[in-house]
Amino acid sequence: MPKYPMIDTHTHFDAPTFDHDRLVQAQKAYQRGVRHLVLVGYLQTHFERLYTCQQALSATPLQDVSDNKEQVPKAHIALGLHPFYIDQHTKAHLSDMECRLNAKRPLAIGEIGLDTYTDAMKAPDMFAKQKQFFKAQLDMAVAHQLPVMLHIRKAHAEALAILKAHSYDAHKLGGIAHSFSGGEQEAKAFVKLGFRLGVTGQVSNPNAKKLRRAIVAAVETYGTRCLVIETDCPDMLPIMCQQAQEDLPASGQSPDDEWQGVSAHNRNVPANLPWVLLSLSELLDVTPEVLAQQLWQNSCMALKTSWTYPTNESL
Ligand SMILES: [Zn+2]
């Protein structure tokens, strides 16, 4: 597979399902072109895990630069309280986040937003709490001038209404609508507000017609500058990897609550990011070379960074 420099803008690479082979997986990702990855927060009780994971990856030996085998992507942290776990969040968690933001500036705030996937989450009190936490974290993003990573599921209209009324300006601060799942109009509405759409391995599924149409429609209006890519690992395994990995033994199953269903053979990894790039390249009929460079630039704009695009020599 040819190699292109990439940024994995959304991962849960700190999840326990990677504890037994995180370093190997990080090296594999680097070998396939992944140069930066973002560890995205979702529960206050797991914030420390993000720092532990980041430290473990930065402690990797880099003595022999000519030998890429030892190298791993640079890991960055986003801190946020995820709407899906709204029943577990407390005011104290928001205060803890505020303290952490003051102590050490993360790359971004996330993932935050609204999610009414289950009936329980549609309950008025739960949804009201989601909105309250979403707005409080948008306030923090404005106060600290940080980009946000949005998680919006089955609540696009409500999320757009909040964003339009809020002083958070994505044109200025950046931001990503992670694992975008809405329709054409919603895709364009988020881009119009200044967000970039996060594309996962779902784009590789020919049956994901609504998603593929939404991406194409947004690109027709705004160009490929409105997109970034992500694995969202250990979720969102690209379809080609589902088949390729079927024969592997199911070792390393996560004991953690949120990824109980993710066994080793359907676990997504950062090294699968090239599949997202290639599927998107095919869908949009843009060469992977051109697209990779554009996506790199888009990620830097969305995350307000200026990471240098590696040249072919350093790949
Ligand atoms: Zn996520």
Side-chain angles (χ1 to χ4, degrees):
M1 194 193 288
K3 216 169 3 179
Y4 308 99
M6 285 167 290
I7 297 168
D8 195 343
T9 59
H10 194 111
T11 78
H12 300 286
F13 199 43
D14 59 310
T17 186
F18 298 112
D19 282 353
H20 70 290
D21 67 343
R22 186 172 288 110
L23 202 53
V24 174
Q25 287 300 338
Q27 287 167 347
K28 215 183 257 185
Y30 189 94
Q31 284 161 32
R32 292 190 186 169
V34 182
R35 290 295 175 266
H36 296 270
L37 61 83
V38 186
L39 304 165
V40 182
Y42 58 99
L43 270 176
Q44 187 268 346
T45 47
H46 293 336
F47 282 170
E48 263 326 298
R49 210 170 73 187
L50 299 167
Y51 297 100
T52 311
C53 176
Q54 185 187 41
Q55 269 159 17
L57 291 174
S58 66
T60 303
L62 290 169
Q63 309 95 332
D64 188 0
V65 188
S66 64
D67 182 8
N68 275 352
K69 278 198 183 91
E70 298 276 295
Q71 299 201 42
V72 300
K74 189 159 171 38
H76 310 267
I77 289 174
L79 285 182
L81 303 170
H82 193 303
F84 189 80
Y85 305 99
I86 195 66
D87 58 332
Q88 298 180 53
H89 305 324
T90 65
K91 285 257 168 69
H93 293 167
L94 283 175
S95 311
D96 175 64
M97 218 177 116
E98 187 65 58
C99 288
R100 288 173 190 271
L101 293 179
N102 286 321
K104 194 167 191 273
R105 190 179 166 83
L107 180 68
I109 301 240
E111 47 193 301
I112 63 170
L114 301 174
D115 189 330
T116 62
Y117 190 65
T118 66
D119 285 341
M121 293 157 81
K122 270 180 234 160
D125 56 333
M126 277 297 128
F127 196 50
K129 190 178 169 191
Q130 281 195 8
K131 285 182 178 173
Q132 188 195 347
F133 274 71
F134 183 27
K135 286 181 205 164
Q137 293 178 93
L138 283 173
D139 290 344
M140 286 187 205
V142 173
H144 292 267
Q145 295 286 289
L146 286 166
V148 298
M149 305 248 187
L150 299 176
H151 168 102
I152 313 291
R153 190 162 52 162
K154 291 192 182 288
H156 287 89
E158 293 89 341
L160 283 165
I162 288 176
L163 288 166
K164 278 175 192 163
H166 200 276
S167 59
Y168 181 89
D169 179 3
H171 289 290
K172 192 171 145 239
L173 295 179
I176 295 170
H178 132 77
S179 186
F180 183 76
S181 60
E184 293 178 30
Q185 295 315 316
E186 288 146 347
K188 287 191 219 170
F190 279 100
V191 178
K192 198 175 172 195
L193 284 178
F195 290 93
R196 286 185 167 77
L197 308 173
V199 180
T200 67
Q202 274 182 315
V203 73
S204 65
N205 186 346
N207 294 325
K209 292 198 174 76
K210 180 186 155 198
L211 170 73
R212 288 162 65 94
R213 266 201 306 269
I215 292 169
V216 169
V219 169
E220 270 167 7
T221 308
Y222 294 100
T224 49
R225 70 186 167 87
C226 71
L227 306 175
V228 297
I229 51 172
E230 57 172 282
T231 57
D232 198 18
C233 67
D235 290 330
M236 304 293 181
L237 188 65
I239 201 155
M240 48 292 266
C241 309
Q242 289 171 20
Q243 288 145 8
Q245 298 195 353
E246 226 153 38
D247 298 331
L248 294 176
S251 63
Q253 187 143 355
S254 162
D256 208 32
D257 44 353
E258 63 270 25
W259 283 294
Q260 228 156 31
V262 180
S263 59
H265 65 275
N266 61 17
R267 180 187 67 162
N268 196 9
V269 293
N272 286 335
L273 193 60
W275 294 114
V276 182
L277 171 72
L278 295 176
S279 295
L280 198 54
S281 148
E282 212 175 283
L283 176 69
L284 301 174
D285 197 21
V286 179
T287 64
E289 289 87 345
V290 170
L291 191 58
Q293 198 153 359
Q294 180 70 53
L295 291 170
W296 183 285
Q297 205 181 315
N298 300 347
S299 308
C300 290
M301 298 283 283
L303 298 169
K304 295 291 156 200
T305 64
S306 48
W307 300 329
T308 316
Y309 187 76
T311 59
N312 272 336
E313 296 80 66
S314 61
L315 265 181

